[in-house]
Amino acid sequence: MTKHSSMPNDPLFDPTHEVQRKQLKFGKVGDWFKGTIVDNSRQIENKLSAKREMQTIYEFKAQGGSFHGITDLKVHNEPTVVEPGGYWSYFAKPVMHGQLKDAKIGQIVGLHFSEERKSEQAGRNPAKIIKVYMGDMDPEYHGETSEDINPNDVV
């Protein structure tokens, strides 16, 4: 039997200090992101897809962006503003992976949620059209990833 323990009486455990995964999920047309690809080597199975297709996880060092996140299938009213320097993940379905596969580690990439198109299958959500823009290699990139961050240096 699992016992439920109470939270310590310490200000660190206040909900405002809880770490949230930084994952890009575009909720509204016009959302965008710009960053440097720092990793594209991980894949996971999309368990929500009937096809059980694999998704490639792209990790970016952000340069900027603004997007309306999605939680429990609900689009956030307020946009998340992406500050430069943070690390963000994007789970690319096969169509997006096809567009991103030629991007190189260290290359600057832009993503823009440009439109929604009606699904060809009845009862399905509209397709999100996310355009990919390939930029130059990032002269500031020297091989670092989010794994290189020392947690003691994070304020």
Side-chain angles (χ1 to χ4, degrees):
M1 178 190 328
T2 305
K3 291 191 174 189
H4 203 292
S5 64
S6 62
M7 293 290 283
N9 187 13
D10 184 318
L12 174 65
F13 293 96
D14 183 284
T16 60
H17 294 245
E18 183 179 354
V19 175
Q20 301 294 318
R21 178 173 55 185
K22 291 186 172 181
Q23 183 179 347
L24 298 168
K25 289 187 176 183
F26 299 122
K28 291 186 179 182
V29 171
D31 289 353
W32 66 279
F33 175 84
K34 178 182 176 183
T36 302
I37 295 180
V38 299
D39 187 25
N40 64 357
S41 63
R42 296 177 291 154
Q43 288 193 327
I44 63 165
E45 182 181 14
N46 180 357
K47 294 183 175 151
L48 298 176
S49 166
K51 298 178 195 174
R52 305 296 260 198
E53 43 193 19
M54 297 302 288
Q55 292 182 310
T56 301
I57 303 171
Y58 285 84
E59 185 175 9
F60 294 92
K61 184 172 185 181
Q63 293 190 9
S66 175
F67 66 94
H68 295 78
I70 303 169
T71 304
D72 298 327
L73 302 177
K74 292 188 171 119
V75 176
H76 300 177
N77 290 325
E78 295 299 319
T80 297
V81 176
V82 176
E83 299 294 332
Y87 291 89
W88 290 81
S89 295
Y90 180 72
F91 289 56
K93 293 180 181 175
V95 171
M96 283 299 294
H97 176 63
Q99 293 179 4
L100 286 165
K101 70 180 168 102
D102 292 331
K104 298 182 177 31
I105 301 297
Q107 187 170 8
I108 299 169
V109 172
L111 304 174
H112 180 248
F113 181 7
S114 63
E115 65 177 296
E116 285 187 337
R117 289 189 190 152
K118 185 178 178 185
S119 175
E120 294 174 7
Q121 297 176 337
R124 301 285 310 249
N125 289 331
K128 292 181 180 182
I129 307 304
I130 299 174
K131 293 185 178 181
V132 176
Y133 299 87
M134 301 285 197
D136 294 329
M137 297 302 287
D138 184 347
E140 302 295 317
Y141 178 71
H142 302 289
E144 65 277 7
T145 70
S146 63
E147 293 180 12
D148 297 321
I149 297 173
N150 181 343
N152 296 323
D153 294 339
V154 178
V155 177

